[in-house]
Amino acid sequence: MSLSQETRQKLIAAAQKARQYAYAPYSNYHVGAALLAENGTVFTGCNVENATYGATVCAERTAVFKAVSEGVREFQAIVVATSNGGSPCGICRQVLYEFAPDITVIMVDETGTVRHEGSLHDLLPMGFSPADLV
Ligand code: THU
């Protein structure tokens, strides 16, 4: 499903705002995400690092888990905001794939410029889904 320009801009602004809340004292790489549910609700997230490093949670998963923990499991699009338009990590791609293999993923840099927009299928070809558990 294609996004209106108004919705795209709203999501970009929300992801950039969420990025301001990133807790990233170790990497200093601040990430924000804005996840658009099928019902129109927007869930935001930021990366939350940890002194153990391994307990760090990415911005995208923060947003997905906020949504799922509030009973929302269907998603249309996610905007990921970073300094340089960085790409979602493999774990976040897999978590998104669980709920929304067709989701549109938009990556923006700190100016809000779209560096990439496309389907999750292109980022995670032949992803493993619940349907594979037969
Ligand atoms: N990070 C995200 O929040 N999302 C990604 O998809 C890539 C990486 C975070 C994790 C860590 O806090 C920092 O960026 C550097 O890896």
Side-chain angles (χ1 to χ4, degrees), residues 61-132:
R61 277 178 288 147
T62 301
V64 171
F65 295 155
K66 280 171 70 178
V68 173
S69 65
E70 293 182 24
V72 178
R73 298 178 181 175
E74 294 178 331
F75 308 113
Q76 299 180 47
I78 187 167
V79 170
V80 183
T82 58
S83 59
N84 58 352
S87 190
C89 81
I91 297 173
C92 289
R93 294 177 195 202
Q94 182 64 39
V95 167
L96 287 166
Y97 201 86
E98 177 80 12
F99 299 101
D102 300 319
I103 195 170
T104 297
V105 180
I106 300 170
M107 304 164 203
V108 302
D109 64 22
E110 62 195 348
T111 71
T113 301
V114 174
R115 297 287 197 93
H116 176 89
E117 178 168 341
S119 171
L120 178 60
H121 284 292
D122 296 328
L123 301 177
L124 190 65
M126 292 183 69
F128 190 85
S129 78
D132 291 301

Side-chain angles (χ1 to χ4, degrees), residues 22-33 45-50 53 56-62 80-82 86-93:
Y23 175 71
Y26 308 108
S27 72
N28 203 33
Y29 190 72
H30 295 211
V31 187
C46 64
N47 52 334
V48 183
E49 297 188 346
N50 188 272
Y53 293 19
T56 292
V57 178
C58 292
E60 300 90 321
R61 277 178 288 147
T62 301
V80 183
T82 58
S87 190
C89 81
I91 297 173
C92 289
R93 294 177 195 202

